[in-house]
Amino acid sequence: AHDRGMGVRRVRLVAIGVLLLAACSSGGDTGPTSTDVVPDDADSGSDGEANPAGGDGSLDYDLSLFEPLGADVGPTSRTAARTTLAPLFPAPIGGEPVISADGRKVAYFTVDPEFAGDSGEGQVVVGDLLTGEIELASRGLDGGPGNGGSYRPTLSADGRYVAFDSSATNLVQNDTNEAPDVFRYDTLSGRLRRVSVAEGGRELSQHSSHAAISGDGRTIAFKVRGPDDDQPADFTPDCRDGPNIVVWTAGGDGLECVSVTSEGIPSDRIRTASSVSDAPAVNYDGRFVAFQTRAPLDLEDDDGNQDIYVIDRETGLVELVSGGDADSEAEYAAISASGRYVAFTSTSPDLV
């Protein structure tokens, strides 16, 4: 784990468990609570390709009715938690589950015919542990399942928004780019929108995937290759080649490329460098984005190996947070709600 506080690189070796039933706050990294209501001005319908759900979309619930398990719960409570979770995974088994910060919502993909029909394509669903209801997020314009696979869901802190990538072409209108895209589904309004679009709603020509959503649900980072040299720019700044890490922001227009140097130079403009970037992670309010890349975005990074970087989208500062010996590789970053702490895996023997 890397502490970015006070500009001092402090790395601590931590043990990572494989199952977390209950979490307690340490008080060292606090962000907005999951019950904070953030109006979403991106839901105005101005992009013309949103897919609203049927009905009035008024899923009115009170998060205060749900109390997460404490850290000191006994075996009985843990068993009850498993019993509550089990119905959210009907046979055939789904996969890639993610849980909201308040512990109420779970998103995953499933091929259960109840949601996927006879297509056999994975569909992203969101289950509510309080009500027991499961809703289809990768919903087609006709209300049925998407006509292509949908995978890799990621949830906002309160579980209101789920982002995922999909090869389906019937989730929104005018999806004709013949490439997987990234979508965001609003469980409160039932609105589904494509976020992997350039300025003015123009389609991207390249494959978009591996979305990461901020805690407040208003920022989504994902990876995508840049356009060919004879095509117009898809992002700001104009990143080509790649894959690059780009960011969509609610209420904005277009996409911001963040796999750049502190001077805003795209990774593909750095001579003799690989511009491959992957696996983004976003803090609660979307200000900080962590990702892995082989591009030397920092002058200290001269080994040509894969490292972890964090960009401050407010100041433009890009920070190398992994480092290590010349033969080491770093990957799979996770960032705390405040953006101060970053966890990642590394093959380096001399980080600590």
Side-chain angles (χ1 to χ4, degrees), residues 112-241:
D112 181 357
E114 180 179 352
F115 303 101
D118 298 326
S119 69
E121 298 281 5
Q123 302 295 326
V124 170
V125 297
V126 181
D128 189 323
L129 290 171
L130 182 61
T131 66
E133 295 180 353
I134 308 172
E135 60 182 309
L136 178 64
S138 53
R139 178 186 297 135
L141 291 165
D142 61 358
N147 60 9
S150 298
Y151 301 99
R152 288 182 279 268
T154 175
L155 275 173
S156 60
D158 62 359
R160 173 177 174 176
Y161 299 103
V162 56
F164 57 93
D165 54 79
S166 178
S167 60
T169 60
N170 66 334
L171 303 187
V172 296
Q173 296 177 350
N174 305 315
D175 188 347
T176 60
N177 62 351
E178 299 182 347
D181 286 297
V182 172
F183 298 84
R184 187 188 74 160
Y185 178 69
D186 184 345
T187 64
L188 192 59
S189 68
R191 184 171 190 256
L192 177 65
R193 66 174 298 154
R194 179 167 53 164
V195 302
S196 54
V197 290
E199 186 175 355
R202 178 172 53 82
E203 289 189 297
L204 303 183
S205 60
Q206 303 291 341
H207 179 138
S208 302
S209 65
H210 293 77
I213 195 168
S214 60
D216 63 9
R218 295 177 56 80
T219 302
I220 298 174
F222 56 94
K223 75 171 185 177
V224 60
R225 294 193 66 88
D228 295 335
D229 291 340
D230 60 348
Q231 295 177 325
D234 284 340
F235 330 117
T236 304
D238 183 11
C239 295
R240 304 272 169 162
D241 202 7

Side-chain angles (χ1 to χ4, degrees), residues 242-278:
N244 302 285
I245 303 301
V246 301
V247 174
W248 170 88
T249 303
D253 184 16
L255 300 169
E256 173 191 0
C257 183
V258 297
S259 48
V260 298
T261 69
S262 293
E263 292 75 32
I265 301 173
S267 57
D268 62 283
R269 309 290 172 80
I270 303 174
R271 292 185 178 179
T272 68
S274 168
S275 60
V276 174
S277 301
D278 201 351

Side-chain angles (χ1 to χ4, degrees), residues 35-99:
T35 54
D36 289 342
V37 177
V38 181
D40 192 347
D41 55 8
D43 286 336
S44 61
S46 59
D47 61 357
E49 66 163 30
N51 173 12
D56 61 6
S58 57
L59 302 179
D60 187 17
Y61 54 77
D62 182 358
L63 292 179
S64 65
L65 297 176
F66 176 73
E67 295 182 3
L69 296 176
D72 58 347
V73 295
T76 301
S77 296
R78 289 198 294 269
T79 300
R82 293 194 189 100
T83 302
T84 302
L85 185 61
L88 293 179
F89 292 88
I93 289 179
E96 302 173 336
V98 290
I99 193 167

Side-chain angles (χ1 to χ4, degrees), residues 9 261-262 270 295-302 309 318-320:
R9 180 176 297 172
T261 69
S262 293
I270 303 174
L297 304 181
D298 186 282
L299 292 177
E300 296 181 7
D301 187 4
D302 58 1
Y309 282 86
V318 177
E319 181 182 0
L320 172 65

